[in-house]
């Protein structure tokens, strides 16, 4: 380990090579697909990735890590940037997958960026704080089912691959971790508008203990819409397709 870990960048370097290899192995690879690694650090995953493909783009925010990476991976494209600020469209690649042991402090923001670019992304294999990974993959009627579950599952088949424990990192994180795989489904376009769905889901789960009738009062009257069946349900009881149907109903007569 050459770099002293910086806490504010969420640096927890993976030291278990078996796990690094397993993460890389679980990514689908084909020759037309570019792979973007977010936060490669000192190359724990990259060292296995370069054995499988040379279409790799590394995006790392830490100058010190950049130096290490440039030394180790001289033929690889390395971008010194903040993943939240970089415009991925400038990379001019139509189809790519994302891999990373993500910095936990910005994991939700990374997922919203993934959603933004969903039509260019084939797959995401990533390490998250276990609690976040559980939330993404949760099904209805669970306390963990929430905004990210609905939005990610609307576009991706989400599966949990393996749990990883603090001992496998330096320095050790305070939380457990989990690797998940998100594979883009066949729905090119949802039956409803993405922004409207996001609005409904955020409002519904914003007050998750209230009935949908009350939680969505600001934008609709479910009684008037004749949605009496679901108006007394709570957000966590609705499946992804029910949320999509609900969004269609709410916005069908509104011109906005
Ligand atoms: N993949 C490496 C490092 C994981 S730690 C390993 O498994 O060992 C998370 C990494 O993300 C660190 O290298 C950190 O510098 C980087 N990082 C943190 N915030 C970032 C951001 N906004 N954009 C790009 N990289 C970031």
């Amino acid at each position: 380990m050459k770099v002293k870990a910086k806490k504010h960048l969420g640096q927890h370097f993976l030291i278990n090579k078996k796990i690094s290899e397993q993460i890389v192995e679980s990514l689908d690879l084909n020759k037309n697909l570019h792979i973007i690694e977010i936060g490669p650090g000192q190359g724990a995953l990259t060292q296995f990735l370069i054995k499988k493909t040379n279409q790799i783009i590394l995006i790392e925010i830490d100058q010190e890590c950049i130096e290490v990476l440039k030394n180790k991976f001289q033929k690889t494209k390395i971008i010194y940037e903040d993943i939240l600020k970089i415009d991925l469209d400038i990379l001019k690649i139509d189809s790519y997958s994302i891999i990373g042991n993500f910095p936990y402090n910005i994991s939700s923001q990374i997922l919203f960026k993934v959603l933004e670019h969903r039509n260019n992304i084939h797959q995401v294999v990533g390490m998250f704080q276990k609690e976040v990974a559980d939330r993404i993959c949760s099904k209805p009627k669970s306390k963990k089912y929430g905004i990210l579950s609905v939005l990610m599952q609307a576009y991706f088949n989400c599966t949990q691959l393996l749990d990883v424990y603090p001992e496998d990192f330096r320095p050790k994180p305070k939380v457990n971790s989990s690797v998940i795989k998100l594979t883009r489904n066949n729905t090119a376009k949802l039956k409803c508008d993405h922004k409207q769905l996001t609005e409904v889901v955020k409002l519904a789960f914003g007050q998750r203990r209230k009935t949908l009738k009350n939680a969505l009062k600001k934008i609709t009257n479910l009684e008037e819409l004749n949605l009496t069946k679901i108006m007394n349900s709570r957000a966590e009881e609705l499946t992804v397709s029910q949320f999509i149907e609900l969004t269609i109903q709410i916005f069908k007569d509104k011109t906005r």
Side-chain angles (χ1 to χ4, degrees):
M1 291 286 137
K2 289 198 179 137
V3 175
K4 189 166 183 295
K6 300 173 187 71
K7 209 173 169 185
H8 71 284
L9 293 179
Q11 290 182 344
H12 295 280
F13 300 113
L14 196 54
I15 53 164
N16 184 325
K17 285 198 167 188
K18 273 210 176 113
I19 288 177
S20 290
E21 191 168 15
Q22 230 176 316
I23 294 173
V24 171
E25 284 296 326
S26 59
L27 191 70
D28 293 348
L29 292 168
N30 73 50
K31 52 178 195 311
N32 300 319
L33 202 59
H34 288 78
I35 310 294
I36 298 179
E37 186 182 348
I38 300 176
Q42 304 179 75
L45 301 177
T46 326
Q47 60 183 327
F48 294 103
L49 207 51
I50 54 161
K51 291 185 191 163
K52 310 221 114 202
T53 170
N54 50 19
Q55 311 232 62
I56 309 171
I57 300 170
L58 308 177
I59 302 177
E60 171 57 60
I61 201 175
D62 182 31
Q63 169 77 58
E64 235 186 310
C65 289
I66 290 282
E67 293 311 316
V68 174
L69 294 165
K70 278 187 178 162
N71 252 319
K72 283 190 186 164
F73 312 108
Q74 294 176 358
K75 289 183 189 143
T76 303
K77 181 165 178 157
I78 303 174
I79 303 179
Y80 176 33
E81 253 285 16
D82 182 338
I83 184 61
L84 301 181
K85 295 202 180 128
I86 191 172
D87 175 5
L88 292 176
D89 295 334
I90 62 160
L91 299 176
K92 301 237 177 305
I93 44 176
D94 288 341
S95 176
Y96 51 88
S97 287
I98 293 179
I99 191 167
N101 165 14
F102 300 131
Y104 296 163
N105 48 345
I106 56 165
S107 50
S108 297
Q109 286 144 289
I110 291 175
L111 289 164
F112 279 102
K113 189 143 189 165
V114 165
L115 281 173
E116 206 183 301
H117 294 275
R118 60 190 179 273
N119 291 333
N120 300 105
I121 296 177
H122 167 62
Q123 196 170 62
V124 179
V125 170
M127 173 112 65
F128 291 87
Q129 178 175 341
K130 179 163 165 51
E131 196 194 308
V132 175
D134 288 348
R135 271 198 268 141
I136 296 166
C137 300
S138 283
K139 296 293 172 202
K141 299 190 178 152
S142 139
K143 281 205 182 95
K144 290 177 179 168
Y145 184 65
I147 298 167
L148 278 176
S149 338
V150 177
L151 296 178
M152 297 311 292
Q153 289 173 33
Y155 300 101
F156 294 89
N157 298 325
C158 306
T159 50
Q160 245 164 322
L161 299 179
L162 71 145
D163 288 343
V164 187
Y165 300 94
E167 296 68 39
D168 293 318
F169 301 89
R170 284 289 176 281
K172 293 181 199 170
K174 290 205 176 76
V175 291
N176 288 335
S177 304
S178 186
V179 180
I180 59 174
K181 177 164 163 166
L182 315 173
T183 307
R184 189 71 172 86
N185 62 24
N186 297 325
T187 317
K189 217 168 175 310
L190 296 184
K191 285 191 264 164
C192 69
D193 177 76
H194 174 75
K195 282 205 182 118
Q196 291 173 346
L197 175 68
T198 308
E199 184 180 355
V200 171
V201 171
K202 282 188 172 169
L203 265 181
F205 282 103
Q207 305 192 53
R208 61 184 297 145
R209 274 194 245 133
K210 289 199 176 167
T211 60
L212 288 169
K213 181 182 154 198
N214 285 326
L216 299 177
K217 208 157 51 185
K218 249 171 59 193
I219 55 162
T220 190
N221 182 333
L222 293 184
E223 219 158 349
E224 275 176 15
L225 282 182
N226 268 332
L227 293 175
T228 39
K229 239 191 194 164
I230 62 155
M231 75 181 186
N232 292 320
S233 311
R234 287 173 178 73
E236 69 182 42
E237 294 171 277
L238 257 54
T239 62
V240 176
S241 38
Q242 282 177 310
F243 266 113
I244 292 171
E245 280 307 319
L246 176 60
T247 305
I248 295 171
Q249 293 302 323
I250 292 176
F251 290 96
K252 80 176 168 210
D253 297 325
K254 292 189 188 179
T255 44
R256 55 167 187 149

